Amino acid sequence: MLALAGCGLEAAPPVSGDLPVGGFAIADLPPAQESGGQLRPGVKVYRIAPSATQAVQIAAVSATLQLSGRLRLVLLDARGVVQAVSVARNWFAAYPELTPLALRPQITLDPGYRLNFKGEGGQVYYLRVENYALSEDRVTLYAEAFTPNPEGQGEAFLSGTKTGAIEFVGEFDLYNVASASATDYLRFTYTGPLDLVALLYNSREDLYPRVLDPVANCAPVSPATLLEVRDRGLVRAGFNEEGSGRYTLTLSGTPCP
């Protein structure tokens, strides 16, 4: 299996084994090597073949280096195209250029480095596990199916609170606010590493939606008909957790400050 040169990845080494969905694998990673001012990670590659179309979370937990572990997970499809790259415990991104490792250890807690993807049954994916530490590391890899946050499927949002989450690269959540009161106000609350925005469209053809973010986070909802929440660049994602991908929307008659 070869990674595409356009993705900035080198040819992948031979597959080390399978990582079954619902199971785990043990990866004994060689140390990184310093050469010409560059740090070349120790690498192992694992095959993932979901038997059904489902959301899958991948996690890597260092057993040897533990909190001093310096790992990165790169998920590729069968053609070698990057699907997602881990960054830290609470977020991941679309491609390696968004995930600078720097030269300091990333301090993490179990379950370590993670990423999510929407696996298609019958398709094969490859997980490239990279060790940027100058010591060997034994890492436990997990692949677990999970149920994504159900909010944002185009349902009506008339009042009260919605708690959604951006859990996949390129995901956007949609809400129909056409029947909301003309006196309602929308508040958008998010605290985490993503660049989330809430977009209020006056119609599905509106090219200039009103934009809310964690700073400018309140606006009158009228005359909006559609609400969209997404990462601003559609390149970051997190998990259904506080301080990660989870956000809150509130519709009420309380005016903005």
Side-chain angles (χ1 to χ4, degrees):
M1 191 265 299
L2 297 179
L4 296 184
C7 297
L9 295 177
E10 301 173 1
V15 173
S16 301
D18 291 320
L19 176 57
V21 177
F24 68 94
I26 304 296
D28 289 310
L29 299 173
Q33 301 292 324
E34 293 180 296
S35 176
Q38 300 292 320
L39 191 63
R40 300 172 63 88
V43 175
K44 291 287 183 74
V45 175
Y46 291 83
R47 182 188 299 109
I48 304 171
S51 59
T53 297
Q54 58 195 332
V56 179
Q57 183 172 117
I58 305 298
V61 181
S62 169
T64 303
L65 300 180
Q66 299 181 18
L67 294 182
S68 296
R70 299 184 65 229
L71 302 173
R72 184 165 71 180
L73 307 177
V74 182
L75 182 77
L76 306 103
D77 66 13
R79 299 171 296 160
V81 178
V82 174
Q83 305 297 295
V85 183
S86 70
V87 179
R89 181 179 184 273
N90 60 345
W91 74 284
F92 58 101
Y95 41 85
E97 289 76 9
L98 294 171
T99 62
L101 283 162
L103 295 177
R104 64 183 185 275
Q106 296 186 31
I107 304 302
T108 68
L109 301 173
D110 288 353
Y113 298 79
R114 296 177 291 170
L115 57 82
N116 296 335
F117 72 102
K118 295 179 179 179
E120 295 186 25
Q123 298 296 312
V124 175
Y125 303 84
Y126 295 93
L127 181 69
R128 179 181 170 106
V129 187
E130 302 176 343
N131 176 25
Y132 283 84
L134 297 176
S135 302
E136 296 179 354
D137 199 358
R138 170 166 283 195
V139 174
T140 304
L141 304 172
Y142 301 92
E144 296 291 343
F146 73 98
T147 301
N149 185 293
E151 302 288 4
Q153 302 302 306
E155 69 268 24
F157 182 22
L158 307 181
S159 63
T161 298
K162 294 277 190 180
T163 300
I166 300 301
E167 302 172 87
F168 303 97
V169 168
E171 178 183 7
F172 50 90
D173 288 356
L174 294 176
Y175 302 89
N176 179 2
V177 294
S179 300
S181 168
T183 60
D184 275 349
Y185 296 83
L186 174 71
R187 282 174 170 79
F188 172 60
T189 305
Y190 173 71
T191 303
L194 310 185
D195 188 13
L196 291 194
V197 291
L199 307 177
L200 278 167
Y201 292 88
N202 293 343
S203 71
R204 293 185 178 272
E205 293 75 36
D206 185 3
L207 299 179
Y208 303 100
R210 285 169 286 161
V211 181
L212 302 184
D213 59 30
V215 177
N217 60 359
C218 182
V221 69
S222 179
T225 62
L226 184 68
L227 169 62
E228 176 182 333
V229 180
R230 62 176 174 87
D231 177 71
R232 197 185 307 264
L234 293 173
V235 293
R236 299 185 181 194
F239 306 93
N240 188 17
E241 301 167 357
E242 295 290 342
S244 183
R246 188 183 293 169
Y247 63 85
T248 300
L249 299 167
T250 304
L251 264 178
S252 72
T254 303
C256 297

